[in-house]
Amino acid sequence: MSRKRVIFIVLLLVASLISFGYVNPDYESPIVKVVKESAPAVVKIDVSKTTYTSFDPFMDEFFRKFFGEDEIPWGLKRRTTAIGSGFVFDEKGYILTNEHVVHNAESITVTFLDGSKFRATYIGGDEELDIAVIKIDPKGKELKVLEFGDSDKLEIGEWAIAIGNPLGLQHTVTIGVVSALHRKIPKPDGSGYYTDLIQTDAAINPGNSGG
């Protein structure tokens, strides 16, 4: 393809986009619309917990298995923090997130898009499914609520929009597509498999969990 022809095609595309914007001045991208509707219900979750590290790293794994996670009988006691995401699914203040985000948390703080912060209480969770519910007292704040969709109706190639707090960057939006359905991957501890997963190529990083 000649250089002149490439330049002509590029100019034609630019002209088409400009014309579209002129003819449709009120046009709003479906992605922008979804983000505007959903972002107020998505929250940043900050947690803190106490963990223990043994003096002997070779004995660390043994005592974790014997006494349980974070219950090593001696060693260094330290306070750690973590960040995750979640979304409001009930106007009374119930929020869904991942279990690994809030597991053994001693304090949970929820931050909304407008900057308002609330202390949250752990209600319950399931480590196998990696989901958990926490709750805040809205204190008169009108909460935006997201409805659950039907994953059985998903189709490969549909848009996938992720709103969360990757690397602590609050309310970051990334997009991709539904790349595959019913994926199966091994669990990190080798105890089995996670099944019936939805695969997407939307950028996901630490801090997105729960969003």
Side-chain angles (χ1 to χ4, degrees):
M1 184 180 294
S2 68
R3 184 177 178 182
K4 289 183 178 180
R5 189 172 182 181
V6 171
I7 294 175
F8 174 76
I9 293 175
V10 171
L11 291 175
L12 185 61
L13 288 172
V14 172
S16 298
L17 291 173
I18 293 174
S19 299
F20 181 80
Y22 180 77
V23 175
N24 301 275
D26 297 323
Y27 171 77
E28 182 177 62
S29 163
I31 294 174
V32 172
K33 185 176 182 180
V34 169
V35 172
K36 284 182 177 180
E37 288 288 325
S38 304
V42 178
V43 299
K44 176 186 177 187
I45 299 176
D46 291 279
V47 304
S48 64
K49 65 179 72 174
T50 300
T51 59
Y52 297 85
T53 303
S54 68
F55 294 117
D56 185 350
F58 296 101
M59 297 295 289
D60 197 55
E61 184 61 26
F62 169 78
F63 281 106
R64 286 188 189 281
K65 290 182 178 179
F66 188 79
F67 289 96
E69 186 71 21
D70 297 330
E71 294 295 337
I72 299 173
W74 68 79
L76 298 175
K77 181 179 179 180
R78 60 177 181 171
R79 196 167 186 81
T80 59
T81 59
I83 296 174
S85 306
F87 65 90
V88 180
F89 68 91
D90 186 280
E91 60 185 8
K92 293 181 180 179
Y94 289 96
I95 296 169
L96 190 69
T97 185
N98 284 131
E99 170 66 21
H100 74 263
V101 172
V102 294
H103 183 68
N104 287 338
E106 294 170 359
S107 70
I108 306 173
T109 302
V110 167
T111 305
F112 285 84
L113 180 63
D114 62 5
S116 57
K117 297 178 182 290
F118 296 84
R119 288 284 186 178
T121 303
Y122 178 82
I123 300 300
D126 188 311
E127 290 188 54
E128 182 70 20
L129 297 177
D130 195 22
I131 58 173
V133 174
I134 60 177
K135 185 181 185 302
I136 64 168
D137 178 0
K139 298 178 180 178
K141 179 181 176 66
E142 186 175 345
L143 300 179
K144 174 69 177 180
V145 175
L146 294 185
E147 296 181 4
F148 290 101
D150 186 349
S151 59
D152 290 337
K153 295 181 180 179
L154 275 179
E155 294 187 18
I156 296 173
E158 287 191 281
W159 286 110
I161 305 172
I163 306 175
N165 307 283
L167 309 176
L169 301 173
Q170 189 170 345
H171 282 82
T172 295
V173 178
T174 57
I175 64 171
V177 297
V178 175
S179 305
L181 299 171
H182 311 297
R183 286 297 195 200
K184 172 182 172 182
I185 61 173
K187 295 181 179 179
D189 61 4
S191 62
Y193 290 85
Y194 290 117
T195 60
D196 205 26
L197 301 179
I198 301 168
Q199 180 184 340
T200 179
D201 63 349
I204 304 293
N205 289 285
N208 271 116
S209 295

